[in-house]
Amino acid sequence: MQAMLVLLALAAPALALHFDTEDAKVRPVTKVVNLLQGMKQQLEKEAEEEAELMEKHNCWCKENADTTSTTVEEGTAKIKELESKVSSLSALSSRLKVEVKNTQADIQKAEEGMDEAMALRKQEVAKFQEAEKDELNNLNAVHSAQQTIEGSSFLQKPTALSQKLRDLYDRSGDKLSSESSAKLTNFLQNPATGEIAGVMQGLESDFTANLKHLREEEAKHKSDYATLMKAQREEIDSMKIQVASKNEQQATADEDRVQAKQDIKDLNEEIGDAAALAKEVKEKCFGKEKAWEQRQKTRAAETEAVVKAIEVLSNDDAKDVFSKTMNPSFLQLSEAARSEDVRRADAAAVLDEAGKKDSRLATLALEAKIDTFERVKEKVDLMVAALKKEQSDEVRKKEYCLEELQENRMDTEKKQRNSENLAAKQEELKMKMADATEKMKALETDIAEMKKQQKLAAQNREKENAEFQRVVQEQRQTQDLLKKALTVLGEFYKKPALIQDPKTFGDYKKSTSSNGVMLMLQQLIADAKEMETESVYAEHESQEDYEAFGKELTASIESSSKAMTDKAEEKAKAESSFIMTRESGEGVKAEIERLQDTGFQLHETCDWSLQNFDARQKARSDEMEALKQAKAYLSGAKLLQK
């Protein structure tokens, strides 16, 4: 009730829009009713304004609640997806690791197979060389025999030729054709048959054919060996490529798994922040909603009291009572008694006051002074409709601005996060390229060092072999000299003693030291042979060690070269990814600049409207209220004056 009295006191001067001589005749009760009507309008206006503010607050609550809810839902779904991805990547990495291990075992097995094939091929080549040597010796023997036949030596020494042919038959008779074998057998049994020319031709033909067949088989074996080794090498190279590819896939899977784990961590933090914000929003909005409900109840109670007071003072019984009890000198004159000039002046005064803020109303005030009432009221209605449309348009503009500014802000933040991720990816790729370059330099240095070691090993092996040749030659020369000395002594001391004339010198006695000297010579010869044998064995060992070292070094060079090629490919891929990432980053920066330009334009368009929205809405409402009052004046209404 105290609040109502205060409002009545404040509203009284505000409603005194016009003073004239009719005021003295206005009834006091009517003034009270008018004041109550003003209070009711003020309460309704404040209710509308607060409802609008509460609507904004509810929009804020809903927007933030929806945003946090969406963030939590999307983040939770993404975490499940990433956890599944981590699991699959772990399985992929483990599988690739096992496959690499198995493939490396297959490579080792294939290389061992190549070593075995190489050893068998060496034996095969040695066997071929021995067989080829035998066939060439047989042909040489045949050619030698033919030369003997063509000369006179055969007639002089038929037995020697027969012995040579018999030795040839014993050594290679199984390699002859049945015809040639039969002819040679008949000739050896009866050299006088005179079939020697046919025998020699058959032998030459058989041995030539054998040599040709032997060489053809060797060529085939050589081709088969080359084909086998090529296929084995291609298979090994293919398996090595598979190992490199799977190693790269495993590295990529491990990197993706680490990134996915980091993404899960980031999402959990983002969900935590969203949950905290959701809690804060819920607390604020729930408290505000409770306060709003209480405020609505209070305002409704106040409005109800004002409305009831108006009803009490305005019903017919009250009018009858007031007509009898109130002094007629204070009664208000009826609207019909008011003059047209007064009504026009009242309407113009209201429009003049409102026209201080809007020139359109000032123009309408001038028209109200000279134009017909109906025409002015029509223009007032049009003006009210225009102001309502402006109100509606401004509300839509506000909603549009808030929505577009929010969308622009979220898009900009998203692009900025994307830009930061791309920048981090660029730094990661730079590190990967630098690491690949450094490792390539290290591999290049290692290869150069291994080639240097290879060259030094070859030079040392050459020197060792030269030293071996010198030692063996010197030992053999020593053996020859010792053998010659032993032969000379042996020829003398093994002869029977000479018979001497007893009258002169007596029996000659050989030196008793000869046996010791000869034994020493024999021991020296044995020592020299042993040293030669040891030198040969040492040379063999050194050669095998050199070959093994050379093979290991060659394999290391090939492995390092392959690793260098892999690193070059890795660097090339990283460079390609870096270029793509940099271009993507530039595109994202361009998008950010575009969004910033759009945001700047939105702020230019919207900031003033948003900042002055409430004031403009209120001013426009005041203008519409003034128009309604002017129309009421023109229609014959009359407001109480103090």
Side-chain angles (χ1 to χ4, degrees):
M1 183 59 67
Q2 291 177 353
M4 187 181 299
L5 294 175
V6 171
L7 287 172
L8 286 169
L10 293 174
L15 294 174
L17 299 177
H18 187 70
F19 296 91
D20 57 19
T21 56
E22 299 289 327
D23 290 345
K25 300 179 181 179
V26 177
R27 292 179 180 180
V29 175
T30 304
K31 291 183 179 181
V32 173
V33 171
N34 289 337
L35 287 173
L36 290 173
Q37 292 285 359
M39 289 175 60
K40 177 175 174 293
Q41 293 176 359
Q42 185 66 23
L43 289 171
E44 291 174 348
K45 181 179 179 182
E46 290 176 356
E48 291 178 359
E49 292 175 352
E50 290 181 358
E52 184 178 351
L53 292 174
M54 192 61 190
E55 183 180 359
K56 295 177 185 177
H57 178 74
N58 290 336
C59 288
W60 180 85
C61 291
K62 184 178 184 305
E63 180 181 349
N64 283 278
D66 291 344
T67 301
T68 54
S69 176
T70 301
T71 300
V72 172
E73 291 177 0
E74 292 179 352
T76 303
K78 187 64 176 178
I79 286 174
K80 290 182 180 179
E81 180 182 345
L82 289 171
E83 287 175 344
S84 176
K85 182 179 180 181
V86 168
S87 177
S88 62
L89 288 173
S90 298
L92 175 62
S93 179
S94 300
R95 178 175 62 80
L96 290 171
K97 186 176 181 180
V98 172
E99 290 179 357
V100 166
K101 183 178 179 181
N102 293 337
T103 306
Q104 288 175 338
D106 293 340
I107 291 173
Q108 183 178 359
K109 185 176 179 181
E111 289 178 341
E112 291 175 354
M114 289 182 67
D115 293 339
E116 292 178 1
M118 189 180 297
L120 292 174
R121 178 60 186 153
K122 286 182 179 179
Q123 296 177 4
E124 193 176 62
V125 169
K127 185 176 179 181
F128 160 73
Q129 291 175 346
E130 186 66 28
E132 184 184 40
K133 182 179 178 182
D134 291 343
E135 294 298 336
L136 290 172
N137 289 337
N138 291 336
L139 281 173
N140 290 334
V142 171
H143 294 157
S144 177
Q146 287 176 339
Q147 291 175 359
T148 302
I149 294 170
E150 291 173 357
S152 59
S153 58
F154 173 67
L155 298 175
Q156 296 173 357
K157 298 181 180 180
T159 304
L161 179 60
S162 297
Q163 185 60 42
K164 288 182 179 181
L165 293 176
R166 184 175 299 282
D167 292 340
L168 181 63
Y169 181 77
D170 292 339
R171 187 172 65 251
S172 304
D174 57 336
K175 299 178 181 178
L176 298 174
S177 64
S178 57
E179 182 180 357
S180 297
S181 179
K183 287 182 179 180
L184 180 58
T185 302
N186 292 333
F187 173 77
L188 292 175
Q189 292 175 354
N190 186 10
T193 58
E195 295 294 330
I196 186 60
V199 170
M200 299 308 294
Q201 289 178 356
L203 292 175
E204 182 179 15
S205 176
D206 286 351
F207 289 140
T208 300
N210 290 342
L211 181 61
K212 181 180 178 182
H213 177 68
L214 189 65
R215 287 176 174 173
E216 288 176 349
E217 281 190 340
E218 168 60 15
K220 184 177 183 303
H221 292 162
K222 183 177 180 180
S223 176
D224 293 343
Y225 173 74
T227 301
L228 174 63
M229 297 302 284
K230 181 180 179 182
Q232 286 288 87
R233 174 54 60 190
E234 289 177 351
E235 182 180 2
I236 290 173
D237 290 343
S238 176
M239 287 190 289
K240 286 182 177 180
I241 291 173
Q242 292 178 18
V243 168
S245 176
K246 289 178 180 179
N247 281 330
E248 183 177 353
Q249 293 177 27
Q250 183 183 356
T252 302
D254 291 339
E255 289 179 3
D256 292 344
R257 181 180 58 186
V258 171
Q259 184 61 46
K261 288 183 177 180
Q262 183 61 42
D263 292 342
I264 290 173
K265 181 180 178 182
D266 295 341
L267 284 171
N268 281 324
E269 293 178 356
E270 187 176 345
I271 289 173
D273 294 340
L277 178 60
K279 182 179 179 182
E280 180 182 357
V281 169
K282 184 177 180 181
E283 291 175 353
K284 288 184 177 180
C285 294
F286 180 76
K288 195 71 173 180
E289 185 176 356
K290 289 295 184 182
W292 169 251
E293 290 177 358
Q294 184 61 39
R295 192 176 184 85
Q296 289 288 89
K297 290 179 181 179
T298 303
R299 188 177 299 282
E302 184 177 4
T303 303
E304 183 180 0
V306 172
V307 170
K308 286 182 178 180
I310 293 172
E311 290 177 354
V312 169
L313 297 175
S314 301
N315 60 35
D316 293 338
D317 293 338
K319 288 180 180 180
D320 291 340
V321 173
F322 293 148
S323 65
K324 297 176 182 179
T325 59
M326 293 297 175
N327 190 344
S329 62
F330 293 101
L331 296 179
Q332 182 180 11
L333 294 178
S334 65
E335 185 62 29
R338 298 188 65 197
S339 67
E340 182 176 318
D341 292 337
V342 173
R343 290 158 57 194
R344 188 184 298 276
D346 290 343
V350 172
L351 294 174
D352 277 334
E353 182 67 23
K356 294 177 180 179
K357 298 179 180 179
D358 192 337
S359 60
R360 294 176 297 179
L361 272 72
T363 302
L364 192 59
L366 294 175
E367 293 177 349
K369 294 178 181 179
I370 59 176
D371 211 341
T372 62
F373 282 11
E374 293 302 323
R375 186 171 179 81
V376 173
K377 286 193 290 183
E378 182 180 349
K379 291 184 178 181
V380 166
D381 291 338
L382 291 174
M383 181 68 71
V384 170
L387 290 172
K388 287 182 178 179
K389 185 176 185 303
E390 289 176 4
Q391 290 281 72
S392 177
D393 291 342
E394 197 166 60
V395 170
R396 284 196 296 271
K397 182 178 180 181
K398 177 186 177 183
E399 293 174 350
Y400 164 81
C401 288
L402 291 174
E403 181 179 353
E404 288 297 316
L405 286 169
Q406 173 69 5
E407 183 178 354
N408 181 266
R409 181 181 64 80
M410 295 181 67
D411 289 344
T412 302
E413 291 177 353
K414 182 178 180 181
K415 291 296 181 181
Q416 287 174 343
R417 289 195 298 271
N418 192 12
S419 178
E420 292 172 356
N421 292 336
L422 289 172
K425 184 67 173 178
Q426 287 185 43
E427 290 300 322
E428 179 183 351
L429 290 170
K430 282 182 181 179
M431 293 175 62
K432 186 175 289 187
M433 289 187 293
D435 180 69
T437 301
E438 183 178 353
K439 289 183 178 178
M440 286 172 64
K441 288 181 179 178
L443 288 169
E444 187 176 1
T445 302
D446 292 342
I447 291 171
E449 181 62 25
M450 285 187 286
K451 288 184 177 179
K452 182 179 178 181
Q453 293 179 7
Q454 199 175 39
K455 184 177 180 181
L456 290 174
Q459 293 174 352
N460 292 335
R461 179 84 280 274
E462 186 177 353
K463 291 179 181 179
E464 289 175 356
N465 184 260
E467 180 65 17
F468 161 75
Q469 297 293 343
R470 184 187 65 76
V471 170
V472 169
Q473 184 179 3
E474 290 176 354
Q475 292 300 322
R476 288 176 178 173
Q477 289 176 352
T478 299
Q479 292 175 44
D480 291 339
L481 291 174
L482 293 172
K483 286 178 181 179
K484 286 181 181 179
L486 184 63
T487 299
V488 170
L489 292 174
E491 288 176 354
F492 176 79
Y493 286 109
K494 289 179 181 179
K495 290 180 180 180
L498 298 175
I499 300 174
Q500 303 292 339
D501 186 358
K503 294 180 180 181
T504 55
F505 301 104
D507 293 337
Y508 184 86
K509 293 183 179 179
K510 298 180 181 179
S511 174
T512 57
S513 301
S514 61
N515 289 333
V517 171
M518 293 178 69
L519 287 173
M520 289 178 65
L521 288 172
Q522 290 175 356
Q523 183 61 45
L524 290 173
I525 292 171
D527 292 342
K529 285 184 177 180
E530 184 177 359
M531 186 174 292
E532 179 185 355
T533 302
E534 290 176 354
S535 298
V536 170
Y537 179 78
E539 170 64 11
H540 180 71
E541 289 290 322
S542 296
Q543 182 63 26
E544 286 185 346
D545 291 342
Y546 169 73
E547 290 177 356
F549 176 74
K551 182 178 178 181
E552 181 180 354
L553 206 58
T554 300
S556 298
I557 291 173
E558 291 178 354
S559 177
S560 297
S561 299
K562 181 65 171 58
M564 190 171 178
T565 302
D566 294 341
K567 284 296 176 185
E569 293 178 355
E570 180 181 337
K571 181 182 178 183
K573 289 181 180 178
E575 288 175 346
S576 177
S577 298
F578 176 79
I579 292 172
M580 292 175 63
T581 304
R582 183 181 61 192
E583 291 176 349
S584 297
E586 292 173 352
V588 170
K589 287 181 180 178
E591 283 292 320
I592 292 174
E593 291 178 357
R594 183 187 65 78
L595 288 169
Q596 289 175 343
D597 291 340
T598 302
F600 178 77
Q601 294 173 3
L602 284 170
H603 281 292
E604 281 189 334
T605 304
C606 297
D607 282 356
W608 189 87
S609 297
L610 293 175
Q611 292 169 2
N612 297 279
F613 176 80
D614 293 336
R616 286 174 59 81
Q617 290 281 308
K618 184 177 184 305
R620 201 173 283 109
S621 296
D622 293 341
E623 290 176 4
M624 287 190 289
E625 184 63 26
L627 287 169
K628 291 178 181 178
Q629 290 178 6
K631 183 179 179 181
Y633 279 133
L634 294 174
S635 299
K638 181 178 181 182
L639 293 179
L640 286 175
Q641 305 168 3
K642 186 174 180 180

